[in-house]
């Protein structure tokens, strides 16, 4: 059963809750989350909703975070049974009648869905009511997050040289005293957050070379801190545009492919490295590679369910579909209607 924020939090959750200074968790409790893993299984996770994000932990002590989803102003949460529920909602609604789906960016060209099961109607209602509140809460926390987060990151990034340290202090002061307050008065806290990222990026570029940033990203991935690696990658354009660095990164954590520039998501070598690690990363590749027969072949041999992400033409390709079904019989659901009706495919 979902629990309100009044429960005493484990220490790691307290750290999470106090990131912006007020320690407020909107909702927490046990949920079942689907994927994204190679087999797309449902896993029981301890969920914490706070500060515009939904974190999934292995258990209640919040020591091992398994995944997280950032909520945006346009993020929508709805029951799997809703008539307009996106993605595979209708498929999951039969076995998960109390499930809901998060559509993180409804207007994006490559939409991201998070499927969750709340187990009962009471929990489902609580989570559907809490998620919009968490989004509004995050908007109101822009100033405090700027003060606690921006200053710390900017100063730490430039601590090796006093001249850079002074420069970063000026940048932080400009952000907090001028830009953030001005944009918040216009009710545009999310614009202020964008300025936070811009200034952090400038500080990182001034204080670290490319190899240093790449080493930090790889270290974060080795330690299982995907969020830190993602933040560094977003703030480091010289790394995210470097093909060799990108290949090293997606070999460690394939889902980071989604944060690379469009030209690298359309690079065959980078995408192949990602899907060799986890074939579900094909979802983040450029459409041109989803139509590439060689890329599709590599993906379905790694995980048959990656057939879901290939182009419509390849979903009607008998050899591609056969390879996917041999790997995982459930992959047939993603094939073309003609091949779904082909009895020779069902023997697998």
């Amino acid at each position: 059963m979902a629990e309100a924020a009044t429960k005493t939090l484990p220490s790691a959750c307290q750290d999470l809750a106090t990131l912006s200074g007020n320690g407020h968790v909107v909702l927490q409790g046990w949920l079942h989350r689907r994927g994204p893993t190679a087999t797309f299984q449902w896993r029981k996770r301890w969920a914490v909703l706070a500060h515009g994000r939904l974190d999934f932990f292995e258990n209640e002590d919040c020591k091992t975070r398994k995944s997280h989803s950032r909520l945006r102003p346009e993020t929508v949460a709805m029951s799997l049974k809703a008539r307009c529920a996106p993605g595979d909602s209708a498929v999951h609604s039969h076995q998960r009648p109390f499930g809901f789906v998060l559509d993180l960016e409804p207007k994006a060209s490559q939409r991201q869905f998070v499927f969750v099961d709340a187990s009962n109607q009471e929990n489902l209602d609580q989570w559907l009511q809490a998620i919009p509140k968490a989004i509004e809460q995050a908007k109101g926390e822009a100033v405090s997050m700027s003060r606690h987060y921006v200053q710390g990151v900017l100063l730490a990034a430039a601590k090796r040289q006093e001249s850079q340290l002074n420069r970063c202090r000026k940048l932080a002061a400009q952000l907090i005293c001028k830009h953030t307050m001005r944009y918040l008065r216009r009710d545009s806290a999310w614009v202020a957050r964008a300025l936070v990222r811009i200034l952090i990026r400038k500080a990182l570029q001034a204080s670290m070379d490319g190899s240093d940033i790449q080493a930090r990203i790889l270290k974060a991935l080795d330690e299982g801190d995907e969020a830190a690696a993602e933040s560094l990658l977003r703030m480091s354009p010289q790394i995210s545009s470097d093909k060799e660095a990108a290949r090293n990164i997606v070999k460690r954590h394939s889902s980071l492919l989604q944060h690379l520039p469009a030209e690298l998501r359309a690079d065959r070598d980078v995408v192949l490295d990602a899907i060799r690690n986890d074939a579900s990363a094909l979802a983040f590749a450029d459409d041109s590679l989803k139509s590439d027969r060689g890329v599709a072949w590599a993906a379905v041999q790694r995980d048959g369910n990656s057939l879901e992400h290939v182009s419509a033409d390849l979903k009607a390709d008998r050899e591609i579909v056969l390879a996917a079904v041999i790997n995982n019989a459930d992959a047939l659901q993603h094939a073309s209607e003609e091949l779904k009706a082909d009895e020779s495919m069902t023997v697998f």
Side-chain angles (χ1 to χ4, degrees):
M1 178 146 178
E3 300 179 23
T6 54
K7 177 181 174 179
T8 301
L9 299 175
S11 57
C13 285
Q14 289 175 339
D15 293 339
L16 174 71
T18 57
L19 178 61
S20 69
N22 63 13
H24 183 61
V25 172
V26 179
L27 191 65
Q28 60 182 337
W30 287 108
L31 295 173
H32 285 82
R33 183 184 187 279
R34 177 184 181 266
T37 64
T39 55
F40 296 102
Q41 296 178 346
W42 292 82
R43 300 289 188 186
K44 187 176 182 180
R45 303 295 185 210
W46 180 256
V48 179
L49 178 63
H51 313 298
R53 58 187 284 162
L54 181 58
D55 288 271
F56 294 93
F57 297 92
E58 192 169 44
N59 48 51
E60 293 179 68
D61 62 14
C62 299
K63 291 181 179 179
T64 305
R65 185 173 63 194
K66 306 300 291 187
S67 63
H68 73 276
S69 298
R70 297 182 185 278
L71 307 180
R72 299 165 174 83
E74 66 272 22
T75 296
V76 176
M78 66 183 75
S79 168
L80 295 180
K81 292 183 176 180
R83 294 184 62 182
C84 57
D88 295 334
S89 297
V91 176
H92 300 310
S93 64
H94 299 294
Q95 293 183 335
R96 306 281 174 171
F98 304 110
F100 64 92
V101 57
L102 283 176
D103 190 350
L104 298 179
E105 294 183 272
K107 296 182 180 179
S109 58
Q110 294 183 347
R111 295 163 70 181
Q112 298 179 49
F113 305 126
V114 179
F115 295 99
V116 184
D117 182 14
S119 299
N120 60 62
Q121 188 63 48
E122 181 182 359
N123 283 352
L124 175 61
D125 292 341
Q126 287 184 357
W127 284 101
L128 291 181
Q129 292 170 13
I131 288 170
K133 292 180 181 178
I135 294 173
E136 289 303 313
Q137 177 199 85
K139 292 180 182 179
E141 291 174 352
V143 172
S144 58
M145 285 192 73
S146 297
R147 294 183 186 278
H148 291 277
Y149 181 66
V150 178
Q151 284 183 320
V153 174
L154 289 176
L155 299 183
K159 65 182 179 180
R160 291 181 297 180
Q161 297 185 31
E162 185 62 30
S163 60
Q164 293 175 341
L165 187 63
N166 291 332
R167 181 179 176 220
C168 287
R169 284 198 181 105
K170 286 184 179 180
L171 289 174
Q174 286 177 348
L175 171 70
I176 295 167
C177 299
K178 180 181 178 182
H179 297 295
T180 302
M181 296 305 297
R182 183 178 67 187
Y183 280 108
L184 281 176
R185 283 198 294 270
R186 295 180 184 177
D187 194 27
S188 299
W190 294 90
V191 177
R193 285 183 180 231
L195 289 170
V196 170
R197 292 193 292 271
I198 290 171
L199 293 184
I200 293 174
R201 184 182 299 123
K202 288 182 178 179
L204 284 171
Q205 290 173 336
S207 62
M208 291 189 290
D209 59 26
S211 59
D212 192 4
I213 298 174
Q214 182 181 350
R216 292 193 180 199
I217 293 173
L218 296 178
K219 181 180 179 182
L221 292 175
D222 288 339
E223 293 174 350
D225 193 344
E226 179 190 348
E230 177 187 331
S231 297
L232 284 167
L233 188 59
R234 285 177 178 272
M235 296 185 294
S236 311
Q238 73 272 36
I239 288 297
S240 60
S241 300
D242 183 325
K243 178 176 176 177
E244 290 307 312
R247 293 186 68 178
N248 288 333
I249 290 167
V250 298
K251 285 176 182 177
R252 301 284 189 92
H253 206 295
S254 57
S255 71
L256 292 181
L257 178 66
Q258 64 185 301
H259 303 302
L260 297 179
E263 61 269 21
L264 288 179
R265 286 187 280 110
D267 187 287
R268 203 169 189 272
D269 294 332
V270 174
V271 172
L272 283 173
D273 283 336
I275 64 178
R276 285 173 187 137
N277 181 29
D278 186 344
S280 65
L282 184 59
F284 309 122
D286 185 79
D287 288 344
S288 63
L289 291 180
K290 293 179 181 180
S291 302
D292 185 307
R293 200 169 188 277
V295 172
W297 183 266
V300 298
Q301 286 195 315
R302 178 76 174 80
D303 174 21
N305 270 323
S306 62
L307 183 67
E308 176 183 2
H309 307 301
V310 307
S311 67
D313 288 344
L314 293 180
K315 288 180 180 179
D317 185 304
R318 177 176 290 275
E319 291 184 358
I320 294 291
V321 173
L322 185 60
V325 173
I326 290 175
N327 178 275
N328 188 328
D330 292 339
L332 187 59
Q333 64 181 308
H334 305 304
S336 66
E337 294 301 322
E338 180 182 356
L339 290 180
K340 284 181 183 178
D342 189 330
E343 292 185 0
S344 65
M345 290 290 177
T346 62
V347 301
F348 299 100

